[in-house]
PDB file of all heavy atoms in Angstrom:
ATOM      1  N   ALA A   4     121.638 -67.514 139.565  1.00 66.00           N
ATOM      2  CA  ALA A   4     120.503 -68.444 139.423  1.00 66.00           C
ATOM      3  C   ALA A   4     119.736 -68.591 140.750  1.00 66.00           C
ATOM      4  O   ALA A   4     118.558 -68.736 140.726  1.00 66.00           O
ATOM      5  CB  ALA A   4     120.977 -69.799 138.926  1.00 66.00           C
ATOM      6  N   GLU A   5     120.455 -68.534 141.870  1.00 78.00           N
ATOM      7  CA  GLU A   5     119.847 -68.637 143.198  1.00 78.00           C
ATOM      8  C   GLU A   5     118.960 -67.491 143.428  1.00 78.00           C
ATOM      9  O   GLU A   5     117.823 -67.648 143.874  1.00 78.00           O
ATOM     10  CB  GLU A   5     120.883 -68.760 144.264  1.00 78.00           C
ATOM     11  CG  GLU A   5     120.258 -69.077 145.629  1.00 78.00           C
ATOM     12  CD  GLU A   5     121.319 -69.364 146.657  1.00 78.00           C
ATOM     13  OE1 GLU A   5     122.326 -69.960 146.310  1.00 78.00           O
ATOM     14  OE2 GLU A   5     121.057 -69.009 147.874  1.00 78.00           O
ATOM     15  N   SER A   6     119.282 -66.236 143.108  1.00 92.00           N
ATOM     16  CA  SER A   6     118.425 -65.107 143.300  1.00 92.00           C
ATOM     17  C   SER A   6     117.224 -65.139 142.379  1.00 92.00           C
ATOM     18  O   SER A   6     116.154 -64.763 142.728  1.00 92.00           O
ATOM     19  CB  SER A   6     119.231 -63.776 143.110  1.00 92.00           C
ATOM     20  OG  SER A   6     119.651 -63.681 141.790  1.00 92.00           O
ATOM     21  N   ALA A   7     117.426 -65.644 141.148  1.00 90.00           N
ATOM     22  CA  ALA A   7     116.306 -65.846 140.255  1.00 90.00           C
ATOM     23  C   ALA A   7     115.319 -66.856 140.783  1.00 90.00           C
ATOM     24  O   ALA A   7     114.076 -66.685 140.742  1.00 90.00           O
ATOM     25  CB  ALA A   7     116.741 -66.181 138.871  1.00 90.00           C
ATOM     26  N   ASP A   8     115.899 -67.968 141.345  1.00 92.00           N
ATOM     27  CA  ASP A   8     115.062 -68.966 141.961  1.00 92.00           C
ATOM     28  C   ASP A   8     114.314 -68.410 143.139  1.00 92.00           C
ATOM     29  O   ASP A   8     113.083 -68.700 143.358  1.00 92.00           O
ATOM     30  CB  ASP A   8     115.897 -70.195 142.408  1.00 92.00           C
ATOM     31  CG  ASP A   8     116.468 -70.897 141.254  1.00 92.00           C
ATOM     32  OD1 ASP A   8     116.007 -70.721 140.086  1.00 92.00           O
ATOM     33  OD2 ASP A   8     117.315 -71.810 141.445  1.00 92.00           O
ATOM     34  N   ASP A   9     114.957 -67.652 143.968  1.00 95.00           N
ATOM     35  CA  ASP A   9     114.241 -66.996 145.117  1.00 95.00           C
ATOM     36  C   ASP A   9     113.164 -66.025 144.692  1.00 95.00           C
ATOM     37  O   ASP A   9     112.134 -66.040 145.277  1.00 95.00           O
ATOM     38  CB  ASP A   9     115.279 -66.215 145.989  1.00 95.00           C
ATOM     39  CG  ASP A   9     116.176 -67.126 146.773  1.00 95.00           C
ATOM     40  OD1 ASP A   9     115.847 -68.310 146.901  1.00 95.00           O
ATOM     41  OD2 ASP A   9     117.286 -66.657 147.196  1.00 95.00           O
ATOM     42  N   ARG A  10     113.467 -65.277 143.649  1.00 95.00           N
ATOM     43  CA  ARG A  10     112.466 -64.349 143.106  1.00 95.00           C
ATOM     44  C   ARG A  10     111.265 -65.104 142.578  1.00 95.00           C
ATOM     45  O   ARG A  10     110.081 -64.693 142.877  1.00 95.00           O
ATOM     46  CB  ARG A  10     113.120 -63.484 141.995  1.00 95.00           C
ATOM     47  CG  ARG A  10     112.150 -62.555 141.342  1.00 95.00           C
ATOM     48  CD  ARG A  10     111.941 -61.357 142.261  1.00 95.00           C
ATOM     49  NE  ARG A  10     111.052 -60.368 141.595  1.00 95.00           N
ATOM     50  CZ  ARG A  10     110.218 -59.644 142.159  1.00 95.00           C
ATOM     51  NH1 ARG A  10     110.029 -59.672 143.436  1.00 95.00           N
ATOM     52  NH2 ARG A  10     109.511 -58.824 141.463  1.00 95.00           N
ATOM     53  N   LEU A  11     111.464 -66.192 141.904  1.00 96.00           N
ATOM     54  CA  LEU A  11     110.356 -67.025 141.371  1.00 96.00           C
ATOM     55  C   LEU A  11     109.565 -67.563 142.532  1.00 96.00           C
ATOM     56  O   LEU A  11     108.335 -67.546 142.525  1.00 96.00           O
ATOM     57  CB  LEU A  11     110.906 -68.110 140.452  1.00 96.00           C
ATOM     58  CG  LEU A  11     109.820 -69.084 139.953  1.00 96.00           C
ATOM     59  CD1 LEU A  11     108.843 -68.348 139.091  1.00 96.00           C
ATOM     60  CD2 LEU A  11     110.536 -70.221 139.145  1.00 96.00           C
ATOM     61  N   ARG A  12     110.235 -68.114 143.555  1.00 96.00           N
ATOM     62  CA  ARG A  12     109.533 -68.653 144.674  1.00 96.00           C
ATOM     63  C   ARG A  12     108.675 -67.571 145.441  1.00 96.00           C
ATOM     64  O   ARG A  12     107.554 -67.809 145.758  1.00 96.00           O
ATOM     65  CB  ARG A  12     110.533 -69.246 145.635  1.00 96.00           C
ATOM     66  CG  ARG A  12     109.906 -69.930 146.919  1.00 96.00           C
ATOM     67  CD  ARG A  12     110.911 -70.470 147.873  1.00 96.00           C
ATOM     68  NE  ARG A  12     111.952 -69.536 148.279  1.00 96.00           N
ATOM     69  CZ  ARG A  12     111.810 -68.452 149.128  1.00 96.00           C
ATOM     70  NH1 ARG A  12     110.630 -68.291 149.615  1.00 96.00           N
ATOM     71  NH2 ARG A  12     112.750 -67.652 149.413  1.00 96.00           N
TER      72      ARG A  12
END
Side-chain angles (χ1 to χ4, degrees):
E5 188 173 325
S6 65
D8 291 348
D9 287 342
R10 178 74 175 148
L11 176 60
R12 183 183 48 76

